């Protein structure tokens, strides 16, 4: 590692994984270091090694590797790995907001809540009883 590289923009492994649209475990398994220069990441993205090309070929049409969570109320956002148990949320809001800040559910619709979405969100699902 060159000592004079500290001024170049670098990404940590999670950010590299986001940029390449792969899980962090895959990045680690394939030798992505804990920090990488942004230009090296761009080079990998433009000219993927075999393991990345393979992963991209396999992931077509599957569930997304990363999703953007955006607070309906304050617009705070983060990029997170979607969990299998996440339904389609009607709203995503930060933990500390009250539900009274949200628009009411439509008449006859039921509102359910999911804690622990991303690092600081709650997911709200409005659904019609069958
Ligand atoms: Zn918020």
């Amino acid at each position: 590692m060159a000592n004079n590289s500290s001024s170049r923009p670098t990404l940590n492994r999670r950010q590299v994984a986001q940029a390449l649209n792969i899980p962090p475990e895959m990045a680690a398994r394939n030798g992505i270091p804990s920090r990488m220069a942004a230009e090296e990441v761009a080079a990998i993205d433009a000219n993927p090694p075999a393991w990345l090309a393979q992963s991209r070929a396999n992931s077509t049409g599957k569930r997304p590797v990363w999703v953007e969570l955006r607070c309906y109320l304050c617009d705070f956002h983060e990029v997170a790995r979607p969990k299998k148990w996440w339904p389609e949320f009607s709203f995503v809001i930060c933990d500390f907001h009250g539900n009274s800040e949200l628009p009411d559910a439509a008449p006859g619709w039921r509102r359910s809540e999911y804690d622990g979405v991303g690092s600081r969100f709650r997911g709200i699902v409005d659904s019609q009883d069958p």
Side-chain angles (χ1 to χ4, degrees):
M1 272 294 171
N3 288 329
N4 62 359
S5 66
S6 56
S7 62
R8 289 153 72 209
T10 61
L11 282 71
N12 64 31
R13 191 181 285 137
R14 181 182 162 89
Q15 292 167 323
V16 172
Q18 285 172 17
L20 299 177
N21 199 34
I22 56 172
E25 312 84 67
M26 181 185 289
R29 202 164 56 233
N30 288 285
I32 298 293
S34 56
R35 293 205 78 84
M36 258 182 110
E39 61 197 44
E40 291 178 70
V41 178
I44 288 183
D45 189 43
N47 190 8
W51 61 266
L52 181 56
Q54 183 70 45
S55 155
R56 288 179 172 178
N58 289 345
S59 67
T60 318
K62 294 223 189 91
R63 56 189 294 117
V65 181
W66 298 94
V67 292
E68 186 180 36
L69 299 170
R70 183 176 291 275
C71 176
Y72 177 79
L73 295 168
C74 73
D75 228 29
F76 179 88
H77 68 101
E78 78 176 13
V79 178
R81 302 289 311 284
K83 299 282 192 294
K84 282 198 178 63
W85 53 267
W86 290 1
E88 191 79 26
F89 296 124
S90 309
F91 303 99
V92 174
I93 58 174
C94 305
D95 260 335
F96 55 82
H97 297 302
N99 286 12
S100 59
E101 297 176 64
L102 285 172
D104 288 333
W109 288 54
R110 194 159 44 96
R111 177 161 285 178
S112 13
E113 273 185 54
Y114 296 81
D115 287 326
V117 173
S119 66
R120 59 177 265 178
F121 296 100
R122 279 186 293 141
I124 310 290
V125 178
D126 291 343
S127 54
Q128 223 164 357
D129 283 323

